[in-house]
Amino acid sequence: MVAAINFLPPVDRECWREERPVAESRCGRRHASQGGRQAPTGKGLSRADIGQSGPSGGKAVPRAAKAVSKKRDEDASTEAGEGVDEWAAAKTLVKPPDQLELTEAELKEEFTRILTANNPHAPQNIIRYSFKERAYKPISYVDQMAIHFSLNGNMILKDSDEGRRQSIRLSTAAEKAPVETSAVTSEETEIKDEESTGDTQAAGDEEAEGSGTAEVAEAAEAEEPPRPRAKEQKLANQFNFIERASRTLNNPMRERACQSEPTPCKNFSATANQWEIYDAYVEELQKMERSKEKEKTKVQIAKREEEKKKGRNLTSLESQSDDITKISKAAKIMERMVNQNTFDDIAQDFKYFEDASDEYRDQQGTLLPLWKFQYDKTKRLAVTAISWNPKYKDLFAVGYGSYDFMKQGQGMLLLYTMKNPSFPEYVFSSESGIMCLDFHNDHPYLMAVGFYDGNVAIYNVKKATSQPSYRSSAKSGKHTEPVWQVKWQKDDMDNNLNFFSVSSDGRIVSWTLVKNELVHTDVIKLSVEGTTMQGPEGLQLQTLGCGTSFDFHKKIDYLFLVGTEEGKIYKCSKYYSSQFLDVFEAHHMAVDSVSWNPYHLKVFISCSSDWTVKIWDHTIKTPMFIYDLNSAVGDVAWSPYSSTVFAAVTTDGKAHVFDLSINKYEALCTQLVVAKKKNKITHIQFNPVYPVVIIGDEQGHITSLKLSPNLRRMPKEKKGQEVKKGPEVEIAKLDKLLNLVREPESKAGK
Amino acid sequence: MSLKRSSVQYTPSYITLLCLLCNREKAEVEETLKRIQAHKGVIATIVVNAEGIPIRTTLDNSTTVQYAGLLHQLIMKARSTVRDIDPQNDLTFLRIRSKKHEIMVAPDKEYLLIVIQNPCE
């Protein structure tokens, strides 16, 4: 009947005092009423005793009921003495307004209450899902512990870390209070205290007190105190720590790419050679020079520049369109090479052949024929003049004309090179036959030319035209007869070019190129002596001789010789215009050529149609040597390499080469060069460098011949003695000869 | 000394003269090439431009192309050799003599002139 009471809930004493009018409403009436319905207690309290306690409609809470009943008993027993008095005093029943109305029978009903030690609030039937059996199963044991009150305590163990820290803090806090005035030292102490985690507090205090040393390190340690404090604050409670982390929203990543247009690529490859680098530098240099020139030309009139530009544009356009002109140089070289191949043997002969048989023929030489130069348009013209170019030793100029009075036609001027025997390099044409020509020494592109009609002209090889650059005319004092010889002189004082010309009209004229005009000056008039006549109106008429050739002295500038048609040779000076220095009765017929010896200053040679060649000393009236060649001598020329060698050509087609040092009386070589009957040789010239002579004939052919060694003999080297070379030797050589000749002559009175 | 003329008036007639002169040059070159071709022993003449393309030839096409290509390379090599030794120097002519004939090449700045000649008499 009666359950063991092992549980006594706290009892509100107030509700026990049911009789009291004041406290009744406050107490847990329900407890009381519910207890009433329960099983009777051990003491068998009837409802009547507790009937007044508030009726509650609810079910009995066994716990509370039991507790109330139990407590009442105890209270009744313990406080019987105290409470009885009070209860006895106030025994009047007070009815609350909401009291349950019960009948008597119901009031007397006894309720049994069992008191157990079970937790009345604990659930009795907890069902849990068991994964093992895959079913819901009731839990056998339910925890009966009922916690009425819990309070988290804040007590920590003294010896734990936290405890120690707190104690230290408390102690420092206590110290801080009295030392508030000097914050420095207080900080020090804290610092020191904080630092000495391992040290005992006493040590820390001692350090703190030693303020002298501590103050020094104050600044460095200023940061220390906040740090440990911050550390401490961060400590988390190990038992009740909830880390609440939250994740920010990660924005979804999206990849956005864009590709730019690739820059246009171009493959470039080149070699970097030394010469490519060199070329680049040269180009740079040229550009700079051009820019410099442009700056200079900017100073000039702008109009002129425009014109030039027009010209340049034209040429550039032309050059772009004309592919073929660019190859002109290569074509030229190629032509020469092709010719060299064709005339290979001749080229080899020219270079290397030396007639071996000359060793056996002591006083004879030969002329080896080399190339033959001819041109279509000059087939009917005679070679009237030959001259080697002073600069280019392989280039020579040939003048074409006609010696025939009746058959006068056009003239031509061709420049050939030995490198190309098949075609002339330059071609010039003229209306009148050319009679003579001469290259300028300093300007090897200029040629002075004398015509059959008495005109003179200057041709410029550099210019593309086939017409002369400058020309005399009837107005400007041309000769009235053919010009037989022209010769360049040194530039006059104004640096103008000038040359002399000699003609059959008896005048020797000096032509000067002044401001692009040929200005003539009569130097001398070849008056024949003793032929002054009395003309009408009292004029003295002079018969003028006809000059056919002249030559200027190499060293003595003013001195020159003139040969005439009458066979006389006049020695003249530029400064004496009316008189001759001397007269030589040279020949019986026209003097075709006079020429000073290239080495000896006194010796000159002359040839004539009277079949003779004569060598003179200009101081002596009579010739030193006379040679009869059995035919009219067309031309005579000294050799450039020896003072004693000269060559002459005759109209019978023979060339004669003499060497006075070897044979004074006979020619070393007499060779037929051209066909006898049909052709006549007109001129001969020695090449200044090579052992070659060129001979021109009447049919427009030029034949080149190589001199054999005998003809070019140099003085023999005596053993032990140095070989003297040079003009002095030559002069001496000739002198010796002359002396030999002179004395017997003077003696013999030749 | 100055042989310069006074400033020239660039009249239309002068310009035509210039054109004629340029044409004259062209004619000259043409003539030269014709002479070369007509020369004794010459078998063929080829003009090749800077890229190795023949622009003028007297041979049939395939042979020309062959010659042009091969000789072009050879000239480049030869020129490179000469210039490597001395950059101020430059190749002026190349001759290849073989059993049958002789190949002569005259290089220019932009062109090559190739002539095949039979030098034997």
Side-chain angles (χ1 to χ4, degrees):
Chain A
M1 240 172 67
V2 178
I5 299 166
N6 56 359
F7 183 77
L8 285 174
V11 171
D12 192 359
R13 282 216 186 163
E14 297 292 328
C15 51
W16 211 56
R17 295 174 190 155
E18 50 207 285
E19 284 87 21
R20 279 215 191 153
V22 182
E24 281 173 340
S25 61
R26 271 190 280 134
C27 70
R29 299 216 176 228
R30 298 212 175 133
H31 298 298
S33 65
Q34 285 160 4
R37 272 193 257 132
Q38 287 286 327
T41 58
K43 294 211 178 151
L45 287 171
S46 63
R47 207 215 266 182
D49 292 338
I50 55 174
Q52 295 288 330
S53 61
S56 70
K59 286 182 183 172
V61 180
R63 187 185 359 149
K66 294 170 203 167
V68 167
S69 59
K70 170 77 179 172
K71 196 71 179 187
R72 269 196 211 112
D73 292 343
E74 284 187 355
D75 283 354
S77 60
T78 53
E79 294 172 8
E82 300 172 8
V84 171
D85 295 336
E86 288 175 10
W87 294 329
K91 259 243 175 151
T92 54
L93 283 170
V94 177
K95 264 196 186 177
D98 54 345
Q99 188 167 13
L100 192 65
E101 297 287 335
L102 288 169
T103 59
E104 288 285 333
E106 281 176 351
L107 280 170
K108 284 186 181 174
E109 193 180 334
E110 286 194 358
F111 290 94
T112 340
R113 283 213 307 197
I114 304 166
L115 299 171
T116 58
N118 289 341
N119 182 0
H121 294 287
Q124 287 163 336
N125 48 353
I126 294 179
I127 307 290
R128 287 268 148 82
Y129 184 75
S130 161
F131 283 94
K132 184 177 168 190
E133 287 152 38
R134 308 255 178 114
Y136 288 96
K137 287 255 160 146
I139 292 177
S140 52
Y141 172 72
V142 178
D143 189 19
Q144 301 296 320
M145 173 81 93
I147 299 172
H148 291 277
F149 178 77
S150 70
L151 174 70
N152 284 330
N154 51 6
M155 291 165 76
I156 46 177
L157 193 60
K158 215 194 223 178
D159 291 332
S160 72
D161 288 337
E162 183 58 34
R164 274 198 218 112
R165 269 191 235 124
Q166 284 194 6
S167 60
I168 290 164
R169 203 194 300 161
L170 283 170
S171 62
T172 54
E175 286 181 5
K176 209 178 179 180
V179 200
E180 270 178 332
T181 53
S182 64
V184 175
T185 49
S186 67
E187 277 181 359
E188 285 174 17
T189 55
E190 285 170 30
I191 292 160
K192 293 300 170 187
D193 289 331
E194 305 308 293
E195 280 180 354
S196 61
T197 51
D199 294 342
T200 56
Q201 197 165 354
D205 289 337
E206 285 175 8
E207 286 181 22
E209 285 170 1
S211 60
T213 52
E215 280 183 12
V216 178
E218 174 197 28
E221 296 157 3
E223 290 179 28
E224 293 280 336
R227 256 202 308 120
R229 275 193 198 141
K231 272 186 196 169
E232 286 171 29
Q233 284 170 4
K234 274 187 187 172
L235 281 177
N237 189 340
Q238 291 167 7
F239 303 107
N240 188 16
F241 180 73
I242 299 170
E243 181 146 3
R244 289 243 301 227
S246 72
R247 192 171 163 161
T248 55
L249 182 67
N250 279 348
N251 291 327
M253 302 293 280
R254 185 193 289 185
E255 191 162 318
R256 253 254 186 110
C258 96
Q259 188 178 20
S260 63
E261 264 188 44
T263 51
C265 282
K266 197 178 177 187
N267 272 343
F268 174 77
S269 65
T271 46
N273 284 331
Q274 196 182 4
W275 52 269
E276 295 232 5
I277 297 166
Y278 173 81
D279 276 347
Y281 272 116
V282 165
E283 221 182 279
E284 194 63 41
L285 198 70
Q286 280 176 357
K287 266 186 199 171
M288 278 169 62
E289 275 172 19
R290 248 177 265 156
S291 63
K292 275 184 196 171
E293 276 180 32
K294 275 180 191 170
E295 284 174 16
K296 282 182 193 172
T297 53
K298 271 178 191 171
V299 181
Q300 293 176 6
I301 308 164
K303 204 182 179 186
R304 209 175 178 185
E305 272 187 44
E306 284 175 15
E307 288 170 348
K308 278 183 188 171
K309 275 181 198 170
K310 280 186 207 164
R312 265 183 232 143
N313 284 337
L314 269 172
T315 49
S316 67
L317 280 168
E318 289 287 350
S319 62
Q320 280 169 13
S321 58
D322 284 343
D323 288 333
I324 224 63
T325 47
K326 287 184 182 173
I327 212 167
S328 59
K329 202 175 172 191
K332 204 170 198 176
I333 297 173
M334 185 60 78
E335 195 182 0
R336 290 184 182 185
M337 286 298 174
V338 167
N339 275 303
Q340 193 186 71
N341 270 345
T342 316
F343 300 112
D344 182 48
D345 46 354
I346 298 174
Q348 301 277 347
D349 284 344
F350 159 73
K351 194 78 184 178
Y352 303 117
F353 180 77
E354 302 290 349
D355 201 345
S357 58
D358 266 13
E359 288 174 30
Y360 309 110
R361 296 177 298 191
D362 195 22
Q363 292 194 351
Q364 280 190 13
T366 50
L367 294 167
L368 178 74
L370 297 174
W371 302 285
K372 231 183 179 177
F373 302 87
Q374 55 202 24
Y375 189 48
D376 278 352
K377 294 181 188 169
T378 57
K379 266 189 181 161
R380 291 194 200 137
L381 295 170
V383 172
T384 53
I386 317 175
S387 179
W388 287 95
N389 190 300
K391 188 174 176 192
Y392 298 107
K393 308 301 177 190
D394 59 291
L395 186 69
F396 60 92
V398 183
Y400 292 86
S402 174
Y403 286 118
D404 196 340
F405 179 74
M406 300 307 291
K407 292 179 196 172
Q408 280 299 317
Q410 283 189 348
M412 292 206 81
L413 178 63
L414 301 180
L415 277 91
Y416 279 102
T417 169
M418 290 201 296
K419 296 175 186 172
N420 184 356
S422 23
F423 202 77
E425 297 291 305
Y426 301 96
V427 175
F428 299 97
S429 62
S430 64
E431 292 160 354
S432 170
I434 294 173
M435 300 312 293
C436 55
L437 68 91
D438 190 34
F439 272 109
H440 197 287
N441 274 324
D442 300 326
H443 308 278
Y445 52 90
L446 289 176
M447 285 177 294
V449 164
F451 294 102
Y452 196 89
D453 60 0
N455 276 317
V456 291
I458 295 175
Y459 281 89
N460 190 335
V461 180
K462 279 187 183 176
K463 300 257 169 94
T465 61
S466 70
Q467 296 306 309
S469 311
Y470 309 102
R471 223 193 138 102
S472 70
S473 58
K475 282 189 285 178
S476 58
K478 74 172 185 74
H479 290 280
T480 51
E481 293 277 326
V483 178
W484 289 103
Q485 196 125 18
V486 285
K487 270 252 157 58
W488 283 103
Q489 302 298 308
K490 287 185 193 159
D491 288 356
D492 64 2
M493 286 185 286
D494 300 329
N495 287 337
N496 290 323
L497 298 172
N498 69 331
F499 62 93
F500 277 51
S501 67
V502 65
S503 164
S504 297
D505 63 356
R507 282 162 54 217
I508 295 171
V509 178
S510 157
W511 301 88
T512 316
L513 194 67
V514 178
K515 289 181 186 175
N516 308 324
E517 289 288 323
L518 278 173
V519 175
H520 85 283
T521 324
D522 277 8
V523 174
I524 204 166
K525 282 194 179 158
L526 305 168
S527 54
V528 180
E529 282 178 29
T531 54
T532 50
M533 290 188 305
Q534 290 282 346
E537 295 164 16
L539 280 172
Q540 296 264 357
L541 284 174
Q542 283 272 10
T543 321
L544 294 172
C546 309
T548 51
S549 62
F550 67 169
D551 193 18
F552 288 83
H553 198 272
K554 309 282 186 277
K555 299 283 164 77
I556 305 168
D557 206 24
Y558 56 84
L559 189 63
F560 65 97
L561 296 165
V562 185
T564 61
E565 235 172 76
E566 297 85 38
K568 290 188 186 159
I569 296 175
Y570 297 108
K571 188 164 72 173
C572 313
S573 161
K574 284 187 201 174
Y575 303 123
Y576 294 100
S577 59
S578 53
Q579 261 196 335
F580 312 119
L581 295 176
D582 207 349
V583 182
F584 298 91
E585 302 289 336
H587 293 275
H588 305 289
M589 287 184 75
V591 178
D592 283 327
S593 173
V594 279
S595 176
W596 287 100
N597 190 300
Y599 296 99
H600 205 284
L601 298 170
K602 290 188 183 175
V603 176
F604 67 91
I605 195 170
S606 71
C607 75
S608 163
S609 308
D610 67 355
W611 297 9
T612 55
V613 171
K614 294 184 184 175
I615 297 174
W616 310 76
D617 181 329
H618 76 91
T619 51
I620 300 171
K621 289 273 188 170
T622 52
M624 301 281 112
F625 299 93
I626 303 174
Y627 299 96
D628 191 331
L629 299 176
N630 290 327
S631 179
V633 184
D635 197 7
V636 72
W638 288 105
S639 76
Y641 51 83
S642 171
S643 64
T644 53
V645 177
F646 66 92
V649 284
T650 56
T651 47
D652 61 354
K654 285 191 187 158
H656 309 258
V657 182
F658 290 81
D659 189 345
L660 296 173
S661 58
I662 296 171
N663 191 335
K664 286 201 290 278
Y665 307 108
E666 276 181 350
L668 290 184
C669 166
T670 306
Q671 186 163 321
L672 189 68
V673 176
V674 292
K676 201 170 182 179
K677 296 280 166 112
K678 293 176 192 175
N679 214 343
K680 295 178 196 172
I681 306 181
T682 48
H683 285 278
I684 185 167
Q685 279 284 329
F686 278 86
N687 185 307
V689 176
Y690 304 111
V692 167
V693 288
I694 38 172
I695 292 173
D697 62 19
E698 264 196 355
Q699 284 182 0
H701 301 136
I702 308 273
T703 317
S704 57
L705 301 132
K706 187 170 181 183
L707 299 159
S708 71
N710 270 350
L711 304 172
R712 311 181 254 130
R713 206 179 282 178
M714 293 291 137
K716 271 188 187 169
E717 304 159 19
K718 287 185 184 173
K719 286 183 189 176
Q721 270 191 1
E722 248 184 58
V723 179
K724 292 181 210 166
K725 284 189 183 172
E728 299 85 27
V729 179
E730 304 291 331
I731 293 168
K733 198 167 61 165
L734 194 56
D735 257 341
K736 211 168 65 170
L737 285 167
L738 291 173
N739 287 334
L740 284 171
V741 174
R742 228 175 278 153
E743 287 180 39
E745 274 189 1
S746 60
K747 282 180 186 172
K750 195 173 179 181
Chain B
M1 181 276 293
S2 74
L3 277 178
K4 287 176 193 164
R5 300 185 184 208
S6 50
S7 63
V8 179
Q9 292 286 325
Y10 278 76
T11 55
S13 52
Y14 190 79
I15 292 167
T16 42
L17 177 65
L18 280 177
C19 295
L20 282 171
L21 288 175
C22 295
N23 284 337
R24 184 169 172 253
E25 264 185 48
K26 192 180 177 183
E28 265 186 45
V29 176
E30 290 277 351
E31 248 192 64
T32 310
L33 288 175
K34 273 186 206 158
R35 279 204 306 273
I36 293 171
Q37 182 56 39
H39 204 86
K40 183 177 133 191
V42 171
I43 299 167
T45 315
I46 306 168
V47 178
V48 179
N49 74 350
E51 288 146 24
I53 300 165
I55 54 176
R56 232 184 115 105
T57 175
T58 58
L59 278 181
D60 56 289
N61 204 18
S62 55
T63 322
T64 304
V65 167
Q66 199 180 21
Y67 266 108
L70 293 167
L71 285 168
H72 182 70
Q73 289 177 38
L74 185 63
I75 287 288
M76 300 265 280
K77 190 71 183 173
R79 184 183 260 157
S80 180
T81 309
V82 168
R83 296 210 74 192
D84 269 343
I85 293 168
D86 179 9
Q88 291 181 333
N89 206 353
D90 198 6
L91 183 69
T92 48
F93 204 78
L94 184 72
R95 265 175 161 184
I96 305 164
R97 202 151 197 169
S98 68
K99 281 189 200 167
K100 296 190 182 173
H101 43 242
E102 180 165 342
I103 303 168
M104 294 181 279
V105 186
D108 198 50
K109 223 169 147 192
E110 298 172 20
Y111 294 91
L112 281 183
L113 176 58
I114 304 168
V115 169
I116 306 161
Q117 189 187 19
N118 196 348
C120 303
E121 286 77 5

